[in-house]
């Protein structure tokens, strides 16, 4: 039985997904087929190419050489002009990401506008939540997380600074006595993350500023926080780049109640070398650079 480029690309898929099942689903194969072909490849090589790390398959030291060869094959195929007239699209593939919903909608939206124009063969799939970096999430190419992550055997780099501010709707403020000091904010119901479900330490720091403030509504989505605040359900602790897009919202005490936070990206070196992932990350960096002032939202009057 011969083992060629197809088996190297299959090995690459198993390593990226961390499982036979993930690779099978991505390539339209059965789990049995993937298992049989990987066993056959290892038998032909005479050594293990994959080793277990918890619930994940990872390449052995020898396996990393085979994965590198698979990446070279993938890059060569991606560079071929396979479209009509020999022009084609140089980059294609699915990129799977974890990202907070606000970032996913606003920043990733701007980034994917670029990607779709330049590389229509690239597709993005997202799971949206503000959470800590996960331990080897199966089938995920990159994670956008809040705060500096503590990860091992991964690539982590700072992506952007952003800010949280305190907001209320114009109607809510009109229906209540005037707020004259930041401390008076605590007399109103808070709209923020569900305390028992929130595991990001950096997102807990702003809450500590209001020790007496009761939570009126807790939700797992920043976009929902914005809509609840717009509806007048309480005072929201919101990402400024989302809240400032809503004309009905008023930022309260921006000088005193301004909370800087960071977005970081977590991935693996082999995933970051994928042309499709590189295309998405290039577009994300460009979108972040263009939106820097909007994301940071330093204290000052609303434009």
């Amino acid at each position: 039985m011969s083992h060629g480029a197809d088996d190297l690309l299959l090995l690459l898929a198993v390593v990226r997904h961390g499982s036979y099942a993930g690779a099978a689903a991505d390539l339209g194969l059965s789990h049995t087929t993937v298992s049989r072909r990987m066993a056959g490849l290892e038998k032909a090589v005479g050594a293990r190419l994959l080793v277990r790390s918890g619930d994940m398959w990872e390449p052995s030291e020898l396996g990393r050489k085979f994965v590198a060869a698979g990446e070279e094959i993938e890059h060569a195929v991606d560079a071929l002009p396979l479209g009509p007239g020999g022009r084609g699209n140089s980059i294609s593939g699915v990129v799977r990401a974890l990202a907070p919903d606000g970032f996913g909608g606003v920043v990733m939206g701007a980034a994917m506008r670029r990607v779709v124009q330049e590389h229509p063969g690239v597709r993005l799939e997202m799971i949206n939540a503000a959470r800590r970096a996960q331990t080897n999430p199966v089938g995920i190419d990159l994670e956008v997380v809040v705060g500096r992550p503590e990860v091992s055997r991964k690539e982590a780099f700072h992506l952007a600074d952003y800010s949280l501010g305190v907001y209320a709707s114009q109607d809510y403020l009109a229906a209540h006595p005037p707020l004259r000091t930041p401390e008076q904010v605590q007399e109103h119901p808070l709209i923020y993350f569900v305390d028992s479900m929130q595991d990001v330490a950096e997102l807990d720091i702003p809450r500590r500023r209001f020790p007496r403030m009761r939570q009126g509504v807790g939700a797992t989505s920043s976009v929902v926080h914005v809509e609840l605040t717009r509806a007048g359900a309480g005072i929201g602790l919101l990402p400024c780049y989302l809240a400032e897009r809503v004309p009905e919202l008023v930022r309260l005490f921006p000088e005193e109640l301004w909370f800087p936070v960071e977005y970081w990206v977590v991935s693996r070196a082999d995933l970051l070398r994928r042309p499709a992932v590189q295309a998405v990350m290039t577009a994300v960096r460009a979108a972040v650079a263009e939106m820097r002032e909007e994301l940071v939202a330093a204290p000052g009057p609303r434009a």
Side-chain angles (χ1 to χ4, degrees), residues 164 192 201-210 237 259 261:
L164 295 173
Y192 199 46
E202 286 78 4
L203 292 178
D204 193 48
I205 293 173
R207 192 199 305 266
R208 297 179 202 154
R209 178 67 174 77
F210 310 105
L237 186 52
F259 307 98
V261 203

Side-chain angles (χ1 to χ4, degrees), residues 76-95:
V77 172
D78 284 340
L80 291 174
L82 299 176
R87 295 183 298 274
N89 174 49
S90 61
I91 299 177
S92 63
V94 179
V95 176

